[in-house]
Amino acid sequence: GDYSALTVWLQSQCDLKLIRKLPPGVFWPPPKVDSAVMRIDRVAERQDQLPERGRFHDLVRDIFTLRRKQILGVLVQI
């Protein structure tokens, strides 16, 4: 599936479970995307494995917001 910064960030610290997919027609006005109801359970052990969560968060955000040419520069800074 497709990943986003939010997906990577949440999966690094939580268990995610798809509860139900929702088609655009259940909303008004209908969006141009499908939606989902998710269950998010925090996993303390995963959070403990990220001693520099702020730095990891910044890295994930930068990777997903920068152009591909700029990503190498971000990774080199690690």
Side-chain angles (χ1 to χ4, degrees), residues 33-70:
V33 297
D34 290 329
S35 299
V37 175
M38 303 289 298
R39 178 180 172 139
I40 303 171
D41 293 312
R42 191 178 73 134
V43 179
E45 295 82 20
R46 288 189 199 163
Q47 290 180 331
D48 293 342
Q49 291 176 354
L50 286 171
E52 297 184 41
R53 280 192 294 174
R55 189 170 178 201
F56 178 72
H57 176 267
D58 292 343
L59 172 67
V60 170
R61 184 195 60 224
D62 290 347
I63 287 173
F64 281 90
T65 57
L66 296 175
R67 294 182 179 164
R68 289 183 183 172
K69 291 179 182 180
Q70 295 173 316

